[in-house]
Amino acid sequence: MDYTERLQNVTVLGAAGKMGSGILLLTAIEMADLSLKPENKGKTFVLNAMDVSDAALAGLMKYLRAQVLKAAEKKVVQLRTVYADRKDLIDNEEIIREYVNDVVGIVLPTTLLESAYKSTLVFEAIKEDPALKVKIFSQINQNNSKAPWFYTNTSSIPISKIDKEANLGGRVLGVHFYNPPAIQKLVEIIKGEHTLPELVEFANTYSKNLRKIVVPSNDFAGFIGNGHFMRDALHGIKEAETLQTKFSFPESVYIINKVSQDFLIRPMGIFQLIDYVGIDVCQYIMSVMNPYLPNEDLHSDLLDKMLEIGVRGGQNSDGSQKDGFLKYEKGKVVGFYDLTKKAYVVVSELQPKCDDALGKLPASVQPWKAVVGNPAKEEVFKTYFSELKGMSTFGAELANKYAIRSKEIGLNLVKDNVAFNDADVNTVLLTGFFHAYGPINEYFN
Amino acid sequence: MTKLRRKIYMVAGYNTISMGSGRKEFHPKKERPGLEEYIKEAGQGVLKAIGGAKNVDETVFGNFIASRFNRQANIAGFAPFIDEGLKYKPATRVEGACATGALALVAGIKSVLAETAEVVLVVGVEVQNTVKAIYGADILAAAGWAKERKDGHAYFFPGKFSDRSKAYAAKFGAEKTREAMAKWFTNAIENARLCPTAQEYHNTTKDLVACGMVKPNPKGFVDSLNVFDCSKVSDGASAIAIVSEEGLKRCGISKADAVEVMGLGQAEDDITRTPEDITVLGTTKAAVTNAFASACITKDKIGTVECHDCFTIAGIMAIEAIGFAEHGKGTEFVLAGNTTREGMVPFNTTGGLIGWGHPTGATGVHQAVTLWEQLTGKAAANQITFKPERPYGLSINMGGDDKTLVSIVYKKAE
């Protein structure tokens, strides 16, 4: 079965979810592009978009149409060539509309798992629940005569475990997209112990066609991405907890968030990132990873407490940020959660005291946005971090400690054979988390 | 074209802001003024300076294609909307793609020449930010032959001028051509930065030459042009009054505040045919030749030019069409600094189509307004100094791919 044949009947499980919808979009475009090649004329392409709710599927189709329209507008130069023989399509507008119909036309929304029984490839992006994944994979595998391949988007469950428990005979691979899949360039590929090599080969071709950057990761709970993020988050949480002897809870969160963003020149502070991913998702991923880490305790009482109160973070269906540790208005941070008052404190109330305590940023500081695309950013960081290292302010001390811990986490991922090398760890943080520099660096030696 | 049989003047020019990307106040998703507001602002701007609508005999509108950008035809109906005093007076709308504005001027000039009017209000307008650029390209492609659209580039006109640029570069040297295009862009932005109504007025880019030198990206755009080589999508209106001697008196305007139209040249080429040599703007050359003959002057008398630089390469080719440089030497003429504000013949002193903006139907009128400002000393920060031996201004307004051309010679009224 060649690349095209493999993609003629595909199912995305959990297609209406945050990750599933992105995977569906990218796969639909890839399949439609194949279907429009002259050599594939007459072949049928089917992409089942499976999810549990009709309402969510209706929303998905709307999202899909809007996103494909954007993609079509961007590549209309090529599309005019694709539709060159269609005399009825003259204007860009007509060509774009036709392409949107062609892409959306191969997607069949469904709530029936049975749709996957005819698929040769199954993408899974359902809840991060090992038992549920195993149950569904087994059911499809038992009822599908085509020996389908399973690509799971799990970010934390060992692939070998899924393979063994669902009895898939090596036909499962971790293909871990980053959120949101349509934009994030990174795909982590995780091979289980018995994963067949052809699954890896196909996933590499597929990811490259989607213009993604592939990083192989070892089959170890959390892989590289969450392996770093969860530990980095726990460091931030612990630091904030320690600060509470001198500062209030919202002040502590403000301080650590600012240190991890402005002082470390990252795209967002650690508490904002936890909110972005979802406090509940972070807690869940830690709980999935934790049993595989006998020498560590990947768990946070603070996350439990926040969830008990009902503060969850995450995103609304329109992509806007829900309130979590931080409060947001039109994408901007406007407040910090106070656990005692169970309410948000406005930024202006915390800022003067905390900023004063932190002290000034090094003079050579630049915001992340200004430096991330700078080809000479390494020089910028060398100057900046050497300045930071030489400072004895409270902020500089916290930042140095944070960066050293981040590097340590990265090095441990390589030492523990989760990552194959330092460069892979850095690539994941650079592309999957949009960091401007990798955690494994020489700036803090 | 022969010498004009009657003295024709232009007075009281007015430009709205050329709105679009680059202006601080522009946001594609926020509500903006529409066709009506632009027409009213520009029209009233002129009326105020000429003593009101009572002095106007007729109105001519230049609008390329509001029927598609704004779902609006019958533009003449907006004359009384500018001022009730224009109700029941004649109004006409003309169209000739991007040469629409100058065609509106021609219609006004001919009316005064024919003595059917002593004062004509001319308003050019286009509001194009109603659609994304990729769909705007479909609409603007109507300036070419419809039967060529299917095989044309997604960005139809950039595609046409990319072909011209490619052929020119192949014939006369790619490096020099690219450098001259970058220099043209730099001049355009530097002039626009001095003009508060220009679309690039807020441009603060430090290294303009580096922008101009950006390598074209054929995958996302066209083969031989980068985005800086192209005029942007603009909303805007320009207006001016065309008057006779009697009209001047009626409006109470002194000659010191007027320019005289010294010569007029029009030329048309077959829209269904590809030019014999795409490194030449043959129709532009014909129109300019006609304008010079009509004004009884040569190029050596021209002190400033407003040319149709919808693309940087079109500016370079226009230099050759006028005769300032031989075929293939327009690039050197630009690189030597001859077209800058301090150069031998400053071109596009308020930024031209690339710097000031290109609200298609208004462009020809905007050129007239700029020349009126320059020749009467009203150009403020943009003011250039005229040498006594070069007292004339020249405009070139082009519709389609060198198809519909209007060239006008102006001089300060005496």
Side-chain angles (χ1 to χ4, degrees):
Chain A
M1 191 178 283
D2 67 13
Y3 183 79
T4 304
E5 279 176 88
R6 180 65 61 188
L7 279 170
Q8 277 188 254
N9 194 313
V10 179
T11 295
V12 175
L13 304 171
K18 200 157 66 172
M19 299 302 290
S21 58
I23 295 170
L24 184 87
L25 167 69
L26 297 170
T27 309
I29 289 175
E30 172 68 357
M31 287 169 70
D33 286 350
L34 285 174
S35 77
L36 289 166
K37 285 188 174 169
E39 64 267 29
N40 293 329
K41 228 171 198 170
K43 288 182 189 165
T44 313
F45 288 78
V46 174
L47 178 56
N48 300 302
M50 195 265 154
D51 213 299
V52 288
S53 136
D54 281 326
L57 285 170
L60 169 70
M61 295 310 282
K62 232 178 173 176
Y63 161 84
L64 185 68
R65 193 167 274 281
Q67 294 301 313
V68 176
L69 177 65
K70 276 189 195 169
E73 286 170 349
K74 273 190 197 155
K75 62 178 189 180
V76 68
V77 174
Q78 293 100 292
L79 290 179
R80 286 193 79 89
T81 315
V82 171
Y83 292 103
D85 61 343
R86 286 282 302 273
K87 285 188 179 157
D88 57 322
L89 304 175
I90 296 164
D91 275 344
N92 293 335
E93 193 175 359
E94 294 165 312
I95 286 165
I96 287 166
R97 199 185 305 139
E98 185 73 5
Y99 182 71
V100 172
N101 287 337
D102 281 343
V103 176
V104 176
I106 63 168
V107 178
L108 305 179
T110 177
T111 52
L112 303 173
L113 188 63
E114 288 82 349
S115 314
Y117 292 177
K118 286 198 280 185
S119 291
T120 42
L121 181 62
V122 176
F123 280 97
E124 170 274 310
I126 61 169
K127 201 176 168 221
E128 196 71 335
D129 178 340
L132 184 64
K133 287 184 202 267
V134 166
K135 183 178 160 235
I136 288 176
F137 286 177
S138 307
Q139 189 181 328
I140 295 170
N141 195 40
Q142 281 163 22
N143 291 286
N144 184 322
S145 60
K146 296 181 176 170
W149 291 0
F150 295 90
Y151 283 1
T152 170
N153 189 55
T154 179
S155 60
S156 52
I157 307 166
I159 307 304
S160 301
K161 174 187 157 82
I162 299 175
D163 188 9
K164 192 177 159 201
E165 291 181 12
N167 197 19
L168 301 176
R171 282 180 286 106
V172 60
L173 180 75
V175 180
H176 179 212
F177 286 85
Y178 275 67
N179 183 26
I183 294 165
Q184 287 271 30
K185 285 269 168 245
L186 180 66
V187 172
E188 258 183 299
I189 298 222
I190 309 106
K191 208 170 146 260
E193 200 184 335
H194 300 291
T195 299
L196 301 170
E198 51 266 39
L199 270 76
V200 180
E201 196 188 319
F202 178 95
N204 279 324
T205 312
Y206 164 82
S207 306
K208 273 172 197 151
N209 287 352
L210 267 47
R211 282 189 275 160
K212 298 292 181 195
I213 295 163
V214 175
V215 171
S217 179
N218 247 330
D219 190 16
F220 197 82
F223 318 124
I224 299 173
N226 280 331
H228 187 279
F229 170 42
M230 292 304 150
R231 292 174 174 97
D232 199 54
L234 278 179
H235 173 75
I237 289 168
K238 278 175 194 155
E239 287 285 277
E241 284 167 343
T242 313
L243 287 182
Q244 282 182 73
T245 51
K246 286 186 197 159
F247 295 92
S248 71
F249 177 72
E251 285 168 351
S252 309
V253 172
Y254 173 94
I255 287 171
I256 296 303
N257 200 63
K258 178 159 177 150
V259 163
S260 51
Q261 179 169 13
D262 295 351
F263 281 78
L264 292 183
I265 315 185
R266 287 184 177 184
M268 51 174 88
I270 194 67
F271 285 99
Q272 191 181 352
L273 182 59
I274 294 171
D275 286 350
Y276 177 79
V277 172
I279 298 172
D280 50 347
V281 176
C282 289
Q283 184 209 42
Y284 198 83
I285 292 174
M286 286 184 194
S287 76
V288 172
M289 287 170 67
N290 212 21
Y292 303 97
L293 307 164
N295 302 323
E296 269 181 285
D297 183 20
L298 231 56
H299 174 258
S300 161
D301 291 339
L302 177 60
L303 296 188
D304 295 349
K305 209 182 287 174
M306 292 292 279
L307 291 171
E308 270 167 34
I309 300 168
V311 181
R312 314 178 77 82
Q315 280 137 50
N316 293 305
S317 56
D318 65 355
S320 60
Q321 181 65 46
K322 288 184 195 169
D323 295 340
F325 282 102
L326 281 61
K327 185 175 172 61
Y328 306 86
E329 265 170 26
K330 289 181 184 165
K332 284 192 175 155
V333 177
V334 294
F336 285 78
Y337 194 71
D338 188 331
L339 266 176
T340 342
K341 292 182 189 158
K342 297 198 172 40
Y344 288 91
V345 181
V346 291
V347 176
S348 56
E349 275 183 38
L350 309 166
Q351 205 164 16
K353 182 185 167 188
C354 297
D355 286 358
D356 197 40
L358 282 168
K360 278 189 180 164
L361 282 152
S364 67
V365 72
Q366 287 187 37
W368 169 82
K369 216 175 183 177
V371 76
V372 68
N374 182 353
K377 61 184 177 182
E378 208 180 319
E379 283 309 309
V380 176
F381 287 127
K382 262 187 198 162
T383 313
Y384 173 77
F385 286 122
S386 85
E387 204 183 334
L388 185 78
K389 266 195 308 185
M391 289 168 69
S392 57
T393 59
F394 183 46
E397 273 173 24
L398 284 171
N400 278 316
K401 195 175 163 198
Y402 210 114
I404 290 163
R405 172 61 186 151
S406 172
K407 181 176 178 177
E408 185 187 38
I409 296 168
L411 290 171
N412 283 342
L413 287 170
V414 182
K415 198 176 85 191
D416 297 340
N417 291 322
V418 179
F420 291 102
N421 52 53
D422 295 358
D424 283 351
V425 175
N426 285 345
T427 303
V428 168
L429 271 297
L430 288 166
T431 55
F433 291 82
F434 290 125
H435 282 197
Y437 58 96
I440 305 179
N441 56 60
E442 303 303 319
Y443 304 132
F444 298 92
N445 287 356
Chain B
M1 199 161 296
T2 53
K3 200 168 175 343
L4 305 178
R5 60 189 285 267
R6 208 179 172 210
K7 279 192 179 288
I8 306 285
Y9 301 95
M10 288 196 200
V11 296
Y14 186 95
N15 294 317
T16 68
I17 282 170
S18 176
M19 184 61 73
S21 67
R23 292 288 307 191
K24 276 184 186 162
E25 61 272 59
F26 177 78
H27 190 289
K29 285 182 182 160
K30 281 190 185 152
E31 214 177 318
R32 290 179 300 277
L35 207 55
E36 298 80 357
E37 285 82 3
Y38 283 107
I39 289 173
K40 194 164 228 171
E41 183 190 338
Q44 289 186 344
V46 173
L47 292 183
K48 209 174 145 194
I50 62 167
K54 66 176 195 308
N55 289 334
V56 175
D57 295 317
E58 69 169 89
T59 306
V60 181
F61 284 101
N63 174 260
F64 172 20
I65 197 159
S67 54
R68 290 192 64 195
F69 277 119
N70 321 95
R71 296 186 176 84
Q72 181 67 61
N74 203 4
I75 303 294
F78 285 100
F81 174 76
I82 297 171
D83 190 299
E84 268 193 54
L86 297 175
K87 193 170 177 178
Y88 300 145
K89 288 186 178 178
T92 311
R93 172 264 178 121
V94 299
E95 184 269 311
C98 300
T100 292
L103 281 184
L105 296 173
V106 168
I109 289 168
K110 287 183 177 172
S111 210
V112 178
L113 282 176
E115 300 181 33
T116 55
E118 304 300 334
V119 177
V120 180
L121 170 65
V122 179
V123 181
V125 66
E126 211 75 52
V127 174
Q128 306 178 117
N129 281 296
T130 50
V131 297
K132 288 185 181 174
I134 191 64
Y135 303 115
D138 285 335
I139 297 175
L140 296 172
W145 185 29
K147 289 192 173 157
E148 270 189 347
R149 177 64 183 125
K150 176 64 186 169
D151 295 328
H153 196 277
Y155 293 93
F156 188 78
F157 273 97
K160 285 278 177 197
F161 281 83
S162 167
D163 291 347
R164 282 184 179 273
S165 160
K166 201 186 213 172
Y168 189 99
K171 205 166 174 178
F172 302 113
E175 207 175 318
K176 203 195 293 170
T177 305
R178 173 44 63 200
E179 283 170 8
M181 285 158 77
K183 171 83 173 161
W184 186 278
F185 167 73
T186 306
N187 289 347
I189 304 303
E190 284 175 352
N191 285 339
R193 283 172 176 170
L194 301 172
C195 179
T197 55
Q199 196 161 339
E200 295 291 347
Y201 178 59
H202 298 134
N203 186 313
T204 55
T205 306
K206 279 181 194 148
D207 195 348
L208 292 171
V209 177
C211 293
M213 293 302 289
V214 166
K215 210 174 160 218
N217 167 22
K219 220 174 159 195
F221 193 45
V222 293
D223 291 354
S224 292
L225 301 177
N226 61 40
V227 290
F228 305 104
D229 289 317
C230 309
S231 51
K232 287 181 163 180
V233 178
S234 316
D235 300 347
S238 292
I240 203 161
I242 299 174
V243 301
S244 62
E245 293 261 12
E246 193 187 319
L248 270 183
K249 281 180 206 146
R250 190 197 287 173
C251 299
I253 290 177
S254 95
K255 281 191 181 168
D257 295 324
V259 286
E260 186 179 347
V261 175
M262 305 304 292
L264 177 62
Q266 274 185 267
E268 199 69 46
D269 191 19
D270 185 346
I271 198 170
T272 69
R273 298 183 72 153
T274 309
E276 284 155 25
D277 180 353
I278 59 169
T279 65
V280 171
L281 294 178
T283 319
T284 301
K285 189 175 182 180
V288 173
T289 306
N290 291 342
F292 284 163
S294 167
C296 301
I297 61 158
T298 64
K299 66 174 195 318
D300 303 324
K301 299 266 185 196
I302 298 296
T304 184
V305 178
E306 287 298 305
C307 80
H308 197 95
D309 62 337
C310 44
F311 303 97
T312 51
I313 190 68
I316 291 161
M317 288 187 182
I319 289 167
E320 297 174 11
I322 299 165
F324 284 131
E326 283 172 40
H327 187 205
K329 303 280 187 194
T331 46
E332 286 168 25
F333 190 79
V334 173
L335 288 169
N338 290 310
T339 60
T340 64
R341 3 191 353 92
E342 295 81 22
M344 184 176 88
V345 191
F347 269 61
N348 295 4
T349 57
T350 53
L353 282 64
I354 287 173
W356 189 81
H358 186 24
T360 46
T363 291
V365 184
H366 171 255
Q367 293 176 330
V369 175
T370 295
L371 289 173
W372 167 74
E373 287 169 344
Q374 289 290 6
L375 290 162
T376 57
K378 300 179 199 304
N382 289 97
Q383 188 65 49
I384 54 160
T385 312
F386 286 88
K387 295 175 195 89
E389 66 275 21
R390 291 182 172 273
Y392 292 86
L394 175 76
S395 68
I396 298 169
N397 193 197
M398 173 168 68
D401 184 11
D402 196 37
K403 295 303 178 196
T404 300
L405 263 298
V406 180
S407 180
I408 304 174
V409 177
Y410 299 83
K411 194 169 175 254
K412 187 174 180 355
E414 287 170 355

